[in-house]
């Protein structure tokens, strides 16, 4: 593979604050914001899922929800306060499964409730399930992507029994090198009639049109083909504002990048090459409380993939005041 470039534009920095700092060595991988405003965070390095209430800055209440047998990566909400988490052993086909996490009756005070976490389904062919996105509330379906195979799976959670199927695959999403720190297909988001997917290794963002020709939201097949949206920018995960502005986490570059809806203008809104706070930015999501709908929550790994100044920092959950409302 030829040498790749990374174009994140010029700085337009916004206020950044720490919601919670974990110890050094904690690789925060992904997050999902609950309807009550709390945030679920997956910790890839420790196989853990945490609930964080972003109310008191660095002292925000943080509670362990569950420890899985394998690493945890993607997380998606399908139905109010019901989440689905991908977990398994990186590079080991047959180890990855989807787990249901029902937070409806979960109590942060007692940290327990009957049936909070249960296995939904195994995805036996997948060696590295990563990003996830809702496909349809009505059909109770979501998508998850494998970062090695470049396959996007559809999971129907209410099917009897629950089932998975290949929703889309393309050679441009397949991991091509042996570098373990560079996934192929990675982040996944449904927005405005398209499913967007990042390829971290090739530094590209693609999208796939979704077919809802029956109008009922049940078919939702991929119309294809894969369409290139953005190039020359390393993207781990990403999300969208209501106006189509994209926010990208650039991981080893320790930044959060804003891309205008036209795709032409890029700016760094948080972090920088030597920024130890945003070091190892991995994923982002907008708040859901009235007070934080224009704030972006960002997970980091403290620079585990590329330590700032040679020093590893804590994995953090950050808040970036970006001034636009999430989709």
């Amino acid at each position: 593979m030829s040498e790749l470039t990374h174009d994140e534009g010029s700085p337009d920095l916004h206020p950044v604050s720490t919601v919670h700092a974990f110890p050094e060595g904690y690789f925060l991988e992904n997050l999902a914001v609950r309807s009550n405003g709390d945030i679920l965070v997956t910790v890839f390095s420790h196989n853990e899922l945490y609930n964080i209430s972003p109310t008191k800055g660095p002292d925000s209440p943080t509670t362990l929800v569950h420890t899985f047998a394998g690493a945890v990566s993607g997380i998606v909400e399908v139905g109010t306060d019901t989440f689905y988490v991908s977990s398994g052993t990186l590079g080991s086909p047959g180890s990855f499964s989807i787990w249901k996490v029902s937070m409806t009756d979960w109590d942060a005070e007692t940290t327990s409730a009957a049936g909070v976490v249960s296995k939904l389904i195994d995805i036996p062919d997948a060696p590295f399930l990563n990003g996830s996105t809702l496909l349809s509330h009505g059909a109770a379906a979501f998508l998850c992507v494998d970062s090695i195979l470049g396959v996007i799976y559809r999971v129907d959670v209410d099917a009897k029994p629950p089932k998975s199927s290949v929703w889309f695959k393309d050679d441009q999403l397949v991991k091509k090198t042996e570098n373990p720190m560079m996934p192929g297909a990675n982040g996944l988001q449904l927005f405005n009639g398209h499913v967007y997917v990042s390829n971290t290794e090739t530094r590209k963002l693609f999208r796939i049109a979704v077919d809802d020709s029956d109008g009922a939201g049940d078919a939702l097949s991929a119309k294809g083909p894969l369409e290139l949206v953005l190039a020359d920018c390393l993207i781990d995960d990403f999300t969208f504002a209501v106006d189509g502005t994209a926010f990208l986490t650039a991981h080893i570059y320790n930044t959060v990048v804003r891309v205008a809806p036209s795709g032409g203008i890029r700016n760094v809104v948080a972090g920088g090459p030597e920024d130890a706070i945003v070091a190892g930015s991995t994923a982002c999501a907008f708040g859901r409380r009235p007070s934080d709908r224009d704030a972006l929550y960002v997970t980091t790994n403290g620079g585990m993939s590329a330590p700032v100044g040679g020093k590893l920092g804590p994995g953090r959950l950050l808040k970036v005041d970006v001034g636009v409302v999430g989709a």
Side-chain angles (χ1 to χ4, degrees), residues 17-26 28 50 52 57-60 62 276-277 298 300 302 313-318:
S17 57
T18 297
V19 176
H20 184 78
F22 288 81
E24 293 179 8
Y26 270 64
L28 278 57
Y50 283 87
I52 303 177
D59 297 322
S60 293
T62 301
I277 302 298
V298 179
T300 81
R316 300 175 189 266
L317 176 65
L318 303 173

Side-chain angles (χ1 to χ4, degrees), residues 32-40 49 51 65 75-84 99-108 115-117 137 288:
V33 182
R34 299 175 58 195
S35 57
N36 69 356
D38 284 5
I39 301 170
L40 291 174
L49 177 68
N51 184 87
V65 176
I75 181 170
V76 62
E77 184 178 25
V78 183
T80 302
D81 237 9
T82 300
F83 298 84
Y84 294 87
W99 294 77
K100 179 180 179 179
V101 181
S102 178
M103 299 295 290
T104 306
D105 298 319
W106 185 81
D107 185 347
V116 168
V117 178
H137 276 301
R288 294 175 66 178

Side-chain angles (χ1 to χ4, degrees), residues 2-150:
S2 60
E3 186 174 348
L4 298 171
T5 60
H6 176 70
D7 177 12
E8 55 187 24
S10 59
D12 180 21
L13 299 178
H14 289 240
V16 178
S17 57
T18 297
V19 176
H20 184 78
F22 288 81
E24 293 179 8
Y26 270 64
F27 191 126
L28 278 57
E29 168 64 16
N30 216 314
L31 73 166
V33 182
R34 299 175 58 195
S35 57
N36 69 356
D38 284 5
I39 301 170
L40 291 174
V41 173
T42 64
V43 182
F44 189 82
S45 55
H46 288 67
N47 308 349
E48 293 172 340
L49 177 68
Y50 283 87
N51 184 87
I52 303 177
S53 299
T55 55
K56 298 182 180 178
D59 297 322
S60 293
T62 301
T63 309
L64 177 66
V65 176
H66 188 73
T67 301
F68 294 83
V72 283
S73 48
I75 181 170
V76 62
E77 184 178 25
V78 183
T80 302
D81 237 9
T82 300
F83 298 84
Y84 294 87
V85 172
S86 302
S87 178
T89 302
L90 176 58
S92 179
S95 71
F96 271 88
S97 303
I98 304 296
W99 294 77
K100 179 180 179 179
V101 181
S102 178
M103 299 295 290
T104 306
D105 298 319
W106 185 81
D107 185 347
E109 298 298 325
T110 62
T111 70
S112 65
V116 168
V117 178
S118 58
K119 182 188 282 192
L120 180 79
I121 191 173
D122 294 319
I123 312 290
D125 296 331
F128 183 15
L129 289 181
N130 203 332
S132 301
T133 188
L134 177 72
L135 182 61
S136 168
H137 276 301
F142 71 92
L143 303 176
C144 55
V145 66
D146 188 277
S147 288
I148 296 176
L149 302 179

